[in-house]
Each structure stands twice: as C-alpha cells, then as structure tokens.
Amino acid sequence: MKAAKLSKAPAYRWWILVMNMLTYGYFFMTIQTAAAFGTAIQEAMGLNATMLSFYTTATMISFALLAGPGGKLIAKVGTKKTILIALAIDVAASAVFAVAGGNYVSDLVLRFIQGISGGFIGAAAVNSTAMWFPVRQRGIAGGILLGVLGIGFTLATLGAQALLGWGLPWYTAMGGLTAVSGVVIFVLYLLTVREIGTVYPGAMSIAELLPEEAAADAPARDTSQLPGTMAEVRRNGKYWACAVVGFGNAFLVYGFGTFLMFLLMNDLGITSDLVTMVISSTFFITIVAAPLGGILSDNVFKGSRYQTLMIATGITAVTLVLIPIIGNASAIIVAVLLMLAYGSVSMILGPFWAIPNEITQPQIAGQCTGELTMLSNIGGIVVAPVFAALIDSTGTALICLGICVAVGVISFLCARFIHQ
C-alpha cells in the first residue's frame, strides 16, 4: 500500500540528517586518527612516511571494497541496520586496538576491519539522507552531511593532542577515541532513527510523497524511464564521468591530509605551531563549503549539479597553482589559499552525492551510491602511498601539489559531461 501524500516535508528529516552526520563524521575521524597520531606512531615504532601511510591505506582499501556490497546490503536489510552493523564493526576493532595495538602487522589488520564500516556507512548515510529530502533540498542536505568530513578530521587532531597529553599510550588513546565515540553514536542511532518505509509504508523517498513541491523543485520527470538496473547505469557515459570526478575528489580529500604538513613545514618553512593552526582551519572550512555547494546546485542551478562541480574543481586547480607562487609571503596567505582549495573540494560533496538518486530508479539508488563510493575511493587508496613514496624519494611535497593540480583540471573537464 502506497503512503498518503504529504503537504510538506516532515521535520523529522532533519534529525535523520543529524544522525547520519554523526555516523559519517565518526568514520572520517577514524580515518584521520592515523595522521593525528602519526608523530607518536613514528616515534614509537620507527616508521618512515611510506610505512605510516599504510595505516590510512589499509582503512581506505576496505572502505572502497565494501562500498559496493554496502549498497547491496542496504537493499536487503535497509539503511538503519546497515549503519548499526557498520558502527558495531568499527567499535569492536577500535576496542581491540586500544588494548592490543602497537604491533605493525596486527594494527594494519585492525585498520582494515575499521574500513569495512566505512564502506557500509558511506553508502547508507548518503542514500538515507537523499531519500528523506525533496529534490531541491538534497544538495544542501548532502553538503551538510558531508561537511562533517572536515570536522571529523579536526576532532581527530584535537582528540589526539588531548589524550596524548594525559599520558596514555598512543594505541590506547587512538583506539579509545573511536571506540567510546562509536558506542555513543550506536545507541543514539538504534533508539532514535526509523526507516522511511516504516514511517510512511510503501514510500521509498519523501520526494514521491510531495507532488507539488517536487514539481516546483525540478523539471517533471518520469522516473520509470531512468535505469532500473546497474547494468543499464554502467552503459551510460555520464555515470563514468561521475566516477572520474568522484575519484578525483577522494584523491584530493585524502591527498591533502597526506602531504600538507610536510609541504608547510619543509617546502614553505612554516613553524609547527602555525602548521597546526593552518591545517585545523583548512579542514574545518568543510562545514561551510560543503553546504554552500548544495545551495548553489539546489537554488542557483535549480537542482542541476554539474555546474557546481565545474566551479568547485576549477577553484581547486587555480588555488593550488598559486600556493607555491605566492605562498612564501606569509602563513596567513597560505592558510587562505588552502582554505579555498580544500573548501572547493568540499563544495562538490553535496551536489555530487545527490546524483545517484537522480539518475536511477529508487530501488537501485543505494547500489549506485555504493558502487560510485567504491570507484571514488580508489583515489583515496592510491594517493597516500604514492605521495608518501614521492616525499621519501624526493624530499619535497611540491610534486604532490602538482599532481593535485592535474587531478583538479581533469575533474573539471569530466564534470562538464554530467547532466541529470
């Protein structure tokens, strides 16, 4: 039985967004702990930059590999159970890490297990948010959701400093930070989140229950004409253009965290205190930039996404080019340029992750999100070891910066071909 039509979108959608933000931000905090505790790890275990990078790479590999199956899991058990399973996996691995961390090989195994949770969360949180919001609100909702990526990075950095200051062993602090946070979020999600099909039996998205708002939000479309299987989706060149843009975005998001500290201290000569300020402000800008991208695509471009992607990737390429040219002038200029660069990378997030729900029929939107997450995160897998090896072999991060410029340009060209 189909749910009754609604006169307006329910206020409960905002609570769904808050809870999805907590889960997504939690996982990205898990990823960033490797960098946040990096100095302590290197000092305790004698690792070089390349070996340390595998603390992140191990998590990114499973994050990418499990995103596709995560989309299929959504179709079987729903978004809520998928996220609860993901949180339980991360908490269990974190708890073991807190007690028995400090061995390089077993640490990588535990980091790999933590990444499994990200594959499930990435597909489920994005898909859940899109289902609960009307078409012309999906970009801003997705932007707010993915804006917590930078907050997760910032909280990991601040949490590392605080916990290490208490005198805890680095592995206890690192595992304890994510284990305790994960338990709190698990309980909240279990008790307060409901599936859209439970609240509105027969419905697969809020948009289908708001005919008047949907008509005002975007051009009327017969969703039955959209691809109904992933095989049909994969035959569309625009889908592969999305994959390239997603790859580039993940490459830049995780690449920044890999080489920024070395670039600032070694190549630009910025002191360690200022480096901490610059990096924290750079990551924190995500909370503003990601929703801004959603506002542009929802309100300025009326639900069309590719224009915002082009603007964002263009800004990224230009600002990164300027860093070595005028960045030596002062730390303030470097901070501004990096905030613009990282902010523009974040502007993509809301519009981009609204696309899977708008190029497919609702029943496969979760699978499409999961597969795009998997393809995108390949960029996050390769960037850390590649950049670390380049830094180790050349003694500079400027080559890494140049590669990021090239990725921004390629993403800009591919974004032009994405039309819903």
Side-chain angles (χ1 to χ4, degrees), residues 228-243:
T229 67
M230 285 306 301
E232 293 176 6
V233 173
R234 296 186 196 107
R235 289 194 291 268
N236 190 329
K238 295 172 184 177
Y239 170 77
W240 294 107
C242 283

Side-chain angles (χ1 to χ4, degrees), residues 24 31 39 49 95 97 126 134 145 180 206 270 310 344:
Y24 221 145
I31 290 178
T39 301
F97 199 107
V126 170
L145 168 67
V180 174
I206 285 296
I270 298 176
M310 291 183 67
S344 61

Side-chain angles (χ1 to χ4, degrees), residues 36 39 84 110 123 131 139 178 185 225 257 309 329 357 368 387 401 406 412:
T39 301
L84 291 175
L110 290 170
M131 288 191 301
T178 49
I185 296 170
Q225 300 304 308
L309 304 188
N357 287 73
C368 185
F387 279 4
L401 187 68
F412 173 86

Side-chain angles (χ1 to χ4, degrees), residues 126-156:
V126 170
N127 188 58
S128 170
T129 301
M131 288 191 301
W132 273 96
F133 280 80
V135 175
R136 280 276 300 281
Q137 294 179 14
R138 285 176 181 168
I140 181 64
I144 295 172
L145 168 67
L146 292 158
V148 299
L149 184 154
I151 296 178
F153 285 179
T154 300
L155 291 177

Side-chain angles (χ1 to χ4, degrees), residues 3 19 31 52 60 64 72 99 123 130 147 168 187 189 227 256 321 354 363 409 413 415:
M19 291 307 304
I31 290 178
L52 178 63
M60 289 303 305
K72 294 180 180 179
V99 175
L168 294 174
V187 172
Y189 212 95
F256 279 7
V321 167
Q363 65 269 24
V409 171
L413 296 175

Side-chain angles (χ1 to χ4, degrees), residues 389-409:
L390 284 171
I391 291 172
D392 282 341
S393 61
T394 65
T396 178
L398 291 175
I399 296 175
C400 302
L401 187 68
I403 293 173
C404 287
V405 172
V407 169
V409 171

Side-chain angles (χ1 to χ4, degrees), residues 69-157:
K72 294 180 180 179
L73 184 62
I74 292 170
K76 292 182 178 180
V77 304
T79 55
K80 178 177 179 177
K81 288 183 180 179
T82 299
I83 286 178
L84 291 175
I85 291 170
L87 291 170
I89 290 171
D90 200 329
V91 167
S94 296
V96 174
F97 199 107
V99 175
N103 177 278
Y104 186 68
V105 175
S106 60
D107 285 357
L108 296 186
V109 172
L110 290 170
R111 292 286 293 178
F112 182 91
I113 294 172
Q114 286 178 317
I116 294 172
S117 70
F120 294 170
I121 288 172
V126 170
N127 188 58
S128 170
T129 301
M131 288 191 301
W132 273 96
F133 280 80
V135 175
R136 280 276 300 281
Q137 294 179 14
R138 285 176 181 168
I140 181 64
I144 295 172
L145 168 67
L146 292 158
V148 299
L149 184 154
I151 296 178
F153 285 179
T154 300
L155 291 177
T157 302

